[in-house]
């Protein structure tokens, strides 16, 4: 057995160190593409254990790959260079709500949905609502800066984090930010760490901001006979003075996939639907609902449905949540993207995706948080089919290029991880990427924190085929 | 003449380089404490000039101090080690509004109030509203991450920046973020740079996010016969389900100062007032106004005024804006602080400030954005009185200590600059401060960007007396 595993055993309870192949295999993948076997899996249940593990990793030069529930869509927790997966999901749940401060302190293992549950008990809301909220940990959300439908009005994970406790890549404990809403004391390390995909340390606690829960919500589902019209409807709504809490898009392929998977009453003949949620006082919702109706009718929507009960509305949102599992049933492999464009460019991006689909003869379905320009084109394929995967690789590259051409970005909410690393320089330029790398190197001189992510290797290319 | 000034003259027009004592003196101070004479003042009017100037500074090892309109309250633009002040205020105003994207691109010299003016023409709003908005540049706001009353509901400058163009400390041009609302492509350099007080480069362009302008606003002024009750009123309102756009506090000394300076009809007998602004649809405002009335009457407010016209409301807000100039008339020197605490600790912080005032026999007036815990205790004194200033130094230290003891922070919105640098380690710890310094050193190996700010010199202490 390796010296470093022996070193781990000195301080970490035996039951938290796994070296059996079956265990290691369970930690070799996430919800993205690719499998990498770690040498060992270590579970940490408190800060002191994390400090010890990180110090051992530095001493022996072993990569550490922090992991929550492994729902990442960009390969964040994948142990691409072996070493150890640091499993934080078994950390005992700690949640402390400070009602008068409108803040909540959480341990990394807390499931994201739990935070909002606690907040709602006091009329408060934790706004970020990634689709995986019921199965993903807040630690993973922090590492990846997760988004979600409500991001349109309220912002993403980062916008709700005011303080962190972090074990640095050298095993020191620091606190960033604090318990106050406003803080300009030095560099904003909090917002640097959130979204750094576990490359700058291990988050061991977070202080999150809460807001008053809006007293009411109103769902509206709008149907279109052209994808482009749906795109225009989004722009028109957002420049009308209304800021909906959610504005979700599904194309016909998604609608049909959901109806085949679990019939939910979605309109299978529509070319696209946009599902809107307004929130606020009931009186305001009446006014805004009428305004949305006027906009949609003037722009040529084919139908508009206003659910009469909470159950009807929930059914629509449940159908929206079924998109990912539903499309995963169509073909064995799903390559999920989250290229994001300025809002005005949504119709053009829709056109580009249509062209890419035809050019490479690949199956592309599109849904997403269209209100903030964050689309999720998904390519459905079979990773055992090398020829098809070659076409998928080219299609993915062209999706990224389209986003960048339209003034957009490689990733709106899933992160860079392994798959998008080769395209970083295209978006950031050589110097832009170098400035990020300088931070990484200055914080992690031994390069042990989640190596192989964000920063491309020399000459690294997108590879979706098995070697 | 120095070689480096000769080098500047090769590419920078003669009229933009000032070496006369009178000119240099004009750039030796800001709205904070202290005076430092630069060797030269250089005005840059475009990106290429900035690149050239920064490269010369690196070649000769000369400090650069970027500056907008010099309204900084923490010494951000002060040339503490001489060298050159880089004046960006003469850069031609460039404003490009992208209505459908809900974004606006601006040059660093644009006055902050201009941005909202442009946005309002299209029913949009740029929410950050520092009190200096009509005289300060957005470049300065970005460097300091300025706040303002509306921060309570909408957040501060940082929350509205989605992309930057930056000349790095070595004179390279990078773009961070972009034109999209969501972006998780690599580290968040945008939010690292905003608020870094000009220590990480020179911002040459920014893309800002806009939101729909709320259709109506409602002002409410509430009077209290105890400062502590005012603090409780704030907590109670924020946990009642209402998120006002503004919630400003003024103590009796501020009220009286304003009335002496420019009578505005404020209640001079009240021990404190809280001025609230609600925004949203008119129907919502009616509901929320009634709710605020109930809260205030149940908590024991002595009076509540609801202005009937826009003019009456404007008069109240104008009075609030007069606080800084009004208190500056009381004594020759004003030491403005912005120590910030968790919201629930506002009443306790009020008590601590009261004790500090008595203990050191100094004149302290308090106002601020109490809704987010961001108070502005101001110590009024005379910097020529060495004995008094000695007491002021001790009082300021104790204000910082009180904020930290209560789980707060040294600075909520003014920045660290020169004056608070000695207290950084107290809040951040040695390692926390070191992690910031690593970033600074990796970006600015020659240490030419705004040296003497944020990071304390070895053994540096607060000194408010002239040597």
């Amino acid at each position: 057995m390796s010296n470093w595993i022996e070193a781990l055993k000195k301080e970490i309870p035996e039951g938290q160190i796994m070296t059996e192949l079956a265990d290691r295999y369970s930690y070799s993948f996430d919800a993205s593409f690719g499998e990498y076997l770690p040498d060992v899996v270590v579970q940490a249940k408190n800060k002191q254990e994390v400090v010890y593990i990180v110090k051992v990793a530095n001493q022996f030069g072993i990569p550490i790959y922090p992991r929550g529930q492994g729902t990442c869509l960009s390969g964040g927790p994948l142990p691409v260079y072996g070493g150890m997966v640091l499993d934080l999901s078994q950390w005992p749940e700690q949640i402390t709500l400070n009602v008068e401060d409108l803040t909540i302190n959480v341990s990394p293992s807390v499931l994201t949905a739990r935070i909002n549950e606690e907040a709602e008990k006091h009329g408060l809301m934790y706004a970020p609502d990634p689709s995986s909220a019921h199965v993903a940990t807040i630690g993973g959300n922090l590492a990846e800066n997760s988004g979600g439908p409500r991001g349109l009005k309220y912002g993403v994970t980062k916008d709700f984090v005011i303080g962190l406790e972090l074990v640095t890549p050298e095993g020191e404990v620091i606190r960033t930010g604090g318990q106050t809403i406003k803080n300009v004391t030095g560099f904003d390390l909090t917002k640097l760490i959130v979204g750094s995909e576990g490359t700058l340390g291990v988050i061991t606690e977070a202080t999150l901001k809460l807001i008053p829960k809006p007293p009411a919500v109103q769902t509206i589902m709008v149907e279109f006979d052209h994808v482009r019209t749906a795109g225009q409807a989004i722009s028109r709504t957002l420049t009308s003075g209304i800021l909906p809490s959610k504005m979700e898009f599904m194309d016909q392929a998604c609608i049909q996939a959901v109806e085949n998977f679990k019939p939910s009453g979605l309109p299978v003949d529509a070319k696209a639907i946009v599902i809107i949620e307004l929130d606020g006082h009931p009186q305001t919702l009446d006014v805004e609902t009428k305004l949305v109706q006027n906009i949609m009718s003037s722009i040529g929507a084919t139908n508009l449905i206003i659910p009469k009960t909470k159950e009807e509305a929930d059914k629509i949102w449940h159908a929206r949540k079924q998109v990912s599992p539903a499309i995963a049933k169509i073909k064995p492999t799903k390559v999920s993207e989250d290229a994001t464009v300025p809002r005005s460019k949504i119709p053009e991006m829709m056109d580009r995706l249509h062209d890419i689909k035809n050019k490479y003869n690949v199956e592309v379905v599109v849904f997403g948080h269209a209100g903030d320009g964050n689309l999720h084109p998904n390519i459905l394929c079979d990773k055992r089919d090398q020829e098809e995967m070659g076409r998928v690789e080219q299609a993915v590259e062209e999706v990224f290029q389209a986003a960048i051409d339209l003034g957009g970005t490689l990733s709106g909410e899933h992160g860079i991880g392994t798959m998008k690393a080769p395209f970083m320089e295209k978006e950031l330029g050589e110097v832009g990427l170098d400035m990020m790398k300088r931070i990484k190197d200055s914080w992690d001189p031994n390069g042990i924190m989640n190596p192989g992510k964000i920063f491309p290797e020399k000459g690294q290319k997108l590879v979706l085929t098995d070697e």
Side-chain angles (χ1 to χ4, degrees), chain A:
Chain A
M1 185 163 295
S2 307
N3 287 340
W4 61 273
I5 300 179
E6 286 305 316
L8 286 177
K9 288 186 174 171
K10 279 188 196 146
E11 298 279 337
I12 307 298
E14 184 103 16
Q16 293 171 222
I17 301 178
M18 291 174 270
T19 52
E20 296 295 322
L21 185 62
D23 291 324
R24 288 155 54 209
Y25 183 74
S26 313
Y27 288 87
S28 70
F29 54 89
D30 64 2
S32 76
F33 200 93
E35 283 169 24
Y36 305 84
L37 207 58
D39 294 309
V40 64
V41 176
V42 196
Q43 294 176 328
K45 299 188 177 182
N46 59 55
K47 177 171 68 175
Q48 289 70 30
E49 288 179 358
V50 174
V51 166
Y52 183 76
I53 292 164
V54 173
K55 289 198 164 164
V56 167
N58 271 281
Q59 192 190 336
F60 292 91
I62 306 300
I64 300 184
Y65 294 94
R67 180 185 181 100
Q69 290 286 5
T71 58
C72 189
L73 291 163
S74 61
L78 295 181
V80 297
Y81 293 123
M84 56 178 124
V85 165
L86 177 60
D87 178 9
L88 298 159
S89 68
Q90 302 307 303
W91 190 302
E93 178 187 278
Q94 284 148 3
I95 301 187
T96 311
L97 185 65
N98 318 297
V99 177
E100 295 225 329
D101 292 336
L102 284 80
T103 62
I104 191 165
N105 285 51
V106 294
S107 55
S109 57
V110 171
L111 295 187
T112 304
R114 286 279 298 121
I115 300 169
N116 198 37
E117 268 171 45
E118 289 301 311
E120 286 195 334
K121 289 179 190 167
H122 301 269
L124 300 173
M125 176 166 87
Y126 173 67
D129 59 343
S131 298
S132 57
H134 287 273
V135 287
T137 64
I138 185 67
N141 283 193
L142 293 165
E144 301 293 329
N145 188 22
S146 304
R150 272 200 301 239
L152 174 59
K153 181 166 185 174
Y154 295 104
V156 294
T157 301
K158 178 170 298 189
D159 299 310
F160 287 80
V161 189
I162 60 173
L164 292 175
E165 182 185 74
L166 181 90
V167 175
T168 72
E170 294 174 294
E172 303 288 336
V173 179
I174 64 171
R175 286 197 164 266
T176 72
Q179 305 288 322
T180 60
I181 300 305
K182 287 165 92 174
N183 182 321
V184 292
T185 296
F187 297 163
D188 194 338
L189 299 185
T190 307
K191 288 186 163 54
L192 175 68
I193 293 161
V194 176
S196 65
E197 306 188 10
T199 62
L200 295 179
V202 182
I203 296 168
T204 50
E205 192 187 318
T207 304
L208 309 171
K209 186 173 91 169
L210 303 174
I211 54 175
K213 189 185 173 204
V217 294
Q218 174 65 59
T219 295
I220 304 169
M221 181 167 77
V222 196
E223 302 170 25
F224 299 90
D225 56 6
H226 285 289
V227 166
R228 214 171 209 284
T229 321
Q232 289 160 349
I234 292 163
S235 280
R236 280 283 290 280
T237 306
L238 290 171
T239 51
S240 73
I242 302 177
L243 188 57
S245 48
K246 306 179 187 173
M247 216 168 186
E248 296 286 302
F249 169 89
M250 285 167 67
D251 72 3
Q252 192 170 30
C254 286
I255 299 168
Q256 292 177 347
V258 170
E259 289 303 308
N260 288 334
F261 178 64
K262 201 171 167 186
S264 307
L266 296 182
V268 289
D269 294 330
K271 287 281 189 241
I273 56 174
V274 172
I275 313 175
I276 299 169
E277 185 183 272
L278 305 168
D279 69 4
H281 277 272
Q283 293 93 330
T284 302
L285 297 187
D286 289 346
V287 175
E288 294 192 339
T289 301
K290 287 196 189 78
L291 201 48
V292 170
Q293 282 177 301
N294 292 342
I295 292 168
M296 295 306 166
S297 109
S298 76
I299 209 163
T302 50
N303 194 21
L304 184 144
I305 290 166
I306 300 179
K308 286 184 190 61
T309 62
K310 184 175 180 306
E311 289 64 37
E312 280 177 45
D314 286 349
K315 199 172 163 195
I316 293 174
W317 287 110
H318 185 73
R320 164 63 185 85
K321 286 214 172 189
Q322 296 307 312
V323 173
S324 268
I327 61 177
K329 295 283 174 196
I330 296 177
K331 285 196 126 191
T333 308
K334 174 169 79 90
V335 179
S336 290
E337 284 315 323
D338 65 329
T340 299
V341 294
R343 303 188 231 240
S344 65
K345 295 295 194 304
I346 295 170
E348 218 170 318
M349 187 67 180
M350 299 288 192
D351 290 347
R352 295 281 287 258
L353 291 171
H354 183 77
D355 295 345
I356 291 168
K357 174 181 165 157
N358 289 340
K359 182 172 169 186
Y360 296 105
N361 184 28
V362 288
E363 197 155 341
V364 181
V365 303
V366 184
F367 65 101
H369 321 304
D372 45 26
N374 183 188
L375 298 173
H376 290 314
N378 276 251
I379 305 185
L380 308 176
C381 46
D382 183 343
K383 71 174 175 181
R384 295 161 302 187
D385 182 341
Q386 300 257 341
E387 186 278 327
E388 182 184 27
M389 294 313 283
R391 284 182 282 121
V392 173
E393 280 171 9
Q394 290 177 291
V396 168
E397 275 209 52
E398 213 158 308
V399 169
F400 292 148
Q401 191 61 53
I404 294 174
D405 289 348
L406 295 174
T409 182
L410 292 172
S411 180
E413 63 179 13
H414 292 170
I416 297 302
T418 49
M419 226 170 83
K420 285 172 224 163
F423 305 95
M424 287 290 278
E425 199 172 313
K426 202 170 251 185
E427 180 172 335
L428 300 170
E430 194 185 331
V431 181
L433 188 58
D434 174 57
M435 296 313 271
M436 289 186 188
K437 193 76 171 41
R438 290 188 193 194
I439 296 172
K440 166 68 175 168
D441 292 342
S442 76
W443 276 42
D444 183 14
N446 298 318
I448 57 116
M449 280 307 309
N450 210 359
K453 311 299 163 66
I454 298 182
F455 301 102
E457 304 290 304
K458 231 182 164 58
Q460 189 184 338
K461 282 190 178 167
L462 174 70
V463 179
L464 298 178
T465 48
D466 289 331
E467 279 141 291

